[in-house]
Amino acid sequence: MAKILFVMTGADQRTLADGSKKSTGFWADEAVTPYRAFKAAGHEITVATPGGVVPPADRASLSAQANGGEENAAAVRAVVEGATELRNPLALSDVRAGDFDAVYVPGGQGPMEDLAVDADSGRILAQAVESGLPVGVVCHGPAALLAAFKEDGTNAYAGYRITAFSNTEEQLAGNVETARWLLQDRLTEAGLKVEVGEPWAPHVQVDRNVVTGQNPASSALLAVELLKKLA
């Protein structure tokens, strides 16, 4: 049995380019699909957020439309509302990467608001990659990698081949005009090698101990690849 840390957003709003706020959070399926896979494999999950707040699910991600029908949506909502780990998170400030066997960061636009600049999240993710722990990150979750620094101030993930929610997908989703910054651009500026596939299609990159998924459709495949690292 492995111990897997879910580093999750605590932000329920994101700041737009004009300074206004829009509701956000974590994208439910990006947490629930790997959660189910890891639990089914017998692993233990711990959730941690900034300040230990209960991670908020993006309301849009709980809809029938986002989950391929009401039956699937109801199943996703049941995990979001009922999973003990999600209801009782630790504070990231109290967490050490060395106490876990892997780290996973689900997406949603919440991480762009808080994890992208959270020192404790960055510390954990830097320690994880430098010690060789498997690290899984999906969709907008790679925003959290922007806060992961080495002692010399460079990004701990610079040079890693990853994927993330693409500029094309942001454009198709109608987010480009309102966004303060674009994830693909910011990751590239930080020295990460961002490789993206077709919009909305499952796409995963594996580079050493880091597994990344491009979008919500990539969550299941990412979980499979991360489980291989724990076998």
Side-chain angles (χ1 to χ4, degrees), residues 80-173:
V80 169
E81 295 166 5
T84 301
E85 298 92 342
L86 289 170
R87 311 321 299 172
N88 297 279
L90 301 178
L92 286 168
S93 58
D94 295 331
V95 170
R96 293 177 58 257
D99 292 336
F100 297 91
D101 302 299
V103 179
Y104 175 65
V105 187
Q109 294 198 13
M112 295 179 71
E113 188 75 16
D114 59 358
L115 299 184
V117 293
D118 187 275
D120 289 307
S121 174
R123 168 183 56 80
I124 292 164
L125 288 166
Q127 291 173 349
V129 72
E130 292 176 348
S131 63
L133 289 182
V135 178
V137 195
V138 70
C139 200
H140 288 92
L145 305 182
L146 295 170
F149 297 107
K150 297 180 180 179
E151 289 187 4
D152 64 5
T154 61
N155 191 284
Y157 291 79
Y160 276 81
R161 190 179 74 256
I162 71 158
T163 191
F165 202 70
S166 67
N167 286 355
T168 300
E169 287 166 319
E170 297 282 20
Q171 182 71 56
L172 292 171

